[in-house]
Amino acid sequence: MSQQQQQQSNTSRNVFVITNGDSLVGYALAYRCLEAMEKHEVEPEISGHKIRLLCRSRSGFGLSRLEKMGAEIMEVNYKDEDKMRDCLKDVMCVMMIPEFSFDREKEAECLIKAAKHQHVEHISMLSWIGVDRIHKSDNSQQGSQFRNLEQICHIEKMVKEEFSGEKHCIVRFPMVYQLFYYLAPQLEGENRLCLPVEKNKKFTSLDLNDVVEGVHRLAKKQRERLAGRQIEFQFKKQVYEFTCSKALSGEEMARQIGEGLGRHDMKFQHISGNDLKKQLEHIKNDDRFKERPDQRGDFKKGRDGFWAFPINKYIHECKIDTMMEWWQLANKGELDMHSDELRHILDREPHSLKKYFEENRDQFKRFK
């Protein structure tokens, strides 16, 4: 297809799809894109485009707020390829966020096949930092130990093969600061940071605000490229690794969180994975996590809005299992890593843990 034909094809495709809208990252990313359209931050040629948000269920996730901003919400069965083809009609680009599902590989395969059938121009995928490191150990039980991360690895491979060259982009990112809300009752009530990672093991983490802002900027540049414009080198990669400026140990994290909250005696405690699972199961029944706060927030300042709060409906077995595998990687020393890619994309340093907690201190104090 010539560049002129491609531009004509793109003109007839006016839908951008985001999957997994009933997840923390999917919801936040959809909000950021809709906000950009509301504030006319987008290029004139896509001002008439729309966001189609796919989800398993819209009940209890606050998706009506996004609908009022212009999102088209579609409940889907990701394993039904025929229905997925309908979902991807007139779609230019897909942002795929793998499901927290034990069938995520099959679901991703159906989505990718449907995208190929509908001649989608580009697929972006959000992945996890460290998924390319799960084979470094000589442990013979590697496959069973990292079942969920193995699946995400396989999905990355499918994306690269089916949408090769400039037709795909993969963004890997770590655990986000916003998951500390699930630990807020202990942070505020007991002055302890409890994680299933050894105190001397360093790992990277990030503000969801920075992750979403970075992905939004990449998507904007991708649209410019599809429109035939020249873009800078740092926006032409196929795989990005988003990290903070410096990996931290649990003790260093506790100190930064304490300083951010105005406490200087915050302690770190190494707990077992089962202990953390019990805490998360308890949060599932905590009414304070049932509804989103009303704050509007600010992505660029790192101030959380309603879209960044991890409600308890996000907690389910597969998500917990995936998180536990990530902590195992941290304990193997595989998440002590650093990349400048996000800093280059944002044109500033990502928010530090201390800065994030300073900016959101009042949000956390609600859990005293």
Side-chain angles (χ1 to χ4, degrees), residues 137-153:
S137 171
D138 293 328
N139 192 327
S140 61
Q141 297 181 336
Q142 203 71 37
S144 60
Q145 187 181 17
F146 294 112
R147 177 180 59 168
N148 291 282
L149 298 183
E150 282 274 12
Q151 288 182 344
I152 295 173
C153 256

Side-chain angles (χ1 to χ4, degrees), residues 295-307:
Q295 284 91 337
R296 185 76 173 181
D298 188 323
F299 281 95
K300 293 174 182 176
K301 291 182 179 179
R303 185 178 304 136
D304 289 336
F306 67 88
W307 34 265

Side-chain angles (χ1 to χ4, degrees), residues 96 104-105 108 125 151-159:
M96 179 174 67
R104 61 163 70 87
E105 203 171 334
M125 173 186 171
Q151 288 182 344
I152 295 173
C153 256
H154 293 160
I155 296 171
E156 281 194 7
K157 185 177 179 182
M158 279 192 279
V159 169

Side-chain angles (χ1 to χ4, degrees), residues 223-335:
R223 293 193 297 266
E224 291 179 10
R225 190 189 68 77
L226 288 173
R229 300 182 196 168
Q230 291 294 319
I231 60 176
E232 301 93 324
F233 173 76
Q234 64 261 38
F235 295 100
K236 292 181 178 180
K237 296 184 66 173
Q238 264 60 66
V239 178
Y240 292 88
E241 297 201 320
F242 286 1
T243 76
C244 56
S245 57
K246 182 184 177 184
L248 301 174
S249 68
E251 290 185 331
E252 290 169 328
M253 282 191 161
R255 184 167 58 252
Q256 287 204 17
I257 291 172
E259 291 173 357
L261 292 175
R263 302 172 170 213
H264 298 280
D265 54 351
M266 179 77 66
K267 302 298 183 185
F268 172 77
Q269 183 176 346
H270 177 201
I271 60 173
S272 70
N274 283 335
D275 285 342
L276 182 59
K277 283 184 179 182
K278 290 176 184 177
Q279 289 179 30
L280 294 174
E281 289 293 335
H282 180 74
I283 294 293
K284 285 174 69 171
N285 301 311
D286 189 328
D287 287 341
R288 292 175 294 181
F289 290 87
K290 188 176 180 180
E291 303 290 342
R292 300 174 183 278
D294 290 329
Q295 284 91 337
R296 185 76 173 181
D298 188 323
F299 281 95
K300 293 174 182 176
K301 291 182 179 179
R303 185 178 304 136
D304 289 336
F306 67 88
W307 34 265
F309 184 72
I311 54 177
N312 50 18
K313 278 184 73 77
Y314 291 149
I315 302 175
H316 44 82
E317 184 182 1
C318 184
K319 181 163 187 174
I320 293 174
D321 282 0
T322 306
M323 289 173 63
M324 291 304 120
E325 290 181 16
W326 200 75
W327 292 121
Q328 289 178 52
L329 266 185
N331 275 322
K332 289 178 177 292
E334 297 295 349
L335 300 179

Side-chain angles (χ1 to χ4, degrees), residues 217 234-235 340-350:
R217 291 190 180 206
Q234 64 261 38
F235 295 100
D340 284 327
E341 291 172 349
L342 181 57
R343 179 172 63 82
H344 289 315
I345 290 167
L346 296 176
D347 199 26
R348 61 168 171 79
E349 287 288 349

Side-chain angles (χ1 to χ4, degrees), residues 117-207:
H117 182 270
Q118 294 289 31
H119 306 290
V120 169
E121 291 288 339
H122 190 272
I123 281 192
S124 298
M125 173 186 171
L126 292 189
S127 183
W128 284 47
I129 283 284
V131 294
D132 58 331
R133 299 182 169 206
I134 58 179
H135 300 292
K136 283 192 172 184
S137 171
D138 293 328
N139 192 327
S140 61
Q141 297 181 336
Q142 203 71 37
S144 60
Q145 187 181 17
F146 294 112
R147 177 180 59 168
N148 291 282
L149 298 183
E150 282 274 12
Q151 288 182 344
I152 295 173
C153 256
H154 293 160
I155 296 171
E156 281 194 7
K157 185 177 179 182
M158 279 192 279
V159 169
K160 292 173 182 176
E161 290 176 350
E162 297 299 326
F163 284 80
S164 58
E166 294 184 340
K167 289 181 174 289
H168 79 273
C169 174
I170 295 170
V171 176
R172 297 174 181 152
F173 67 97
M175 186 193 83
V176 293
Y177 298 161
Q178 281 70 10
L179 292 180
F180 284 117
Y181 281 112
Y182 289 145
L183 306 183
Q186 281 184 320
L187 292 173
E188 288 291 347
E190 302 174 23
N191 218 28
R192 288 186 300 142
L193 170 64
C194 300
L195 292 174
V197 62
E198 297 168 18
K199 66 178 183 179
N200 61 331
K201 297 295 185 182
K202 295 188 176 185
F203 57 96
T204 185
S205 57
L206 270 179
D207 183 0

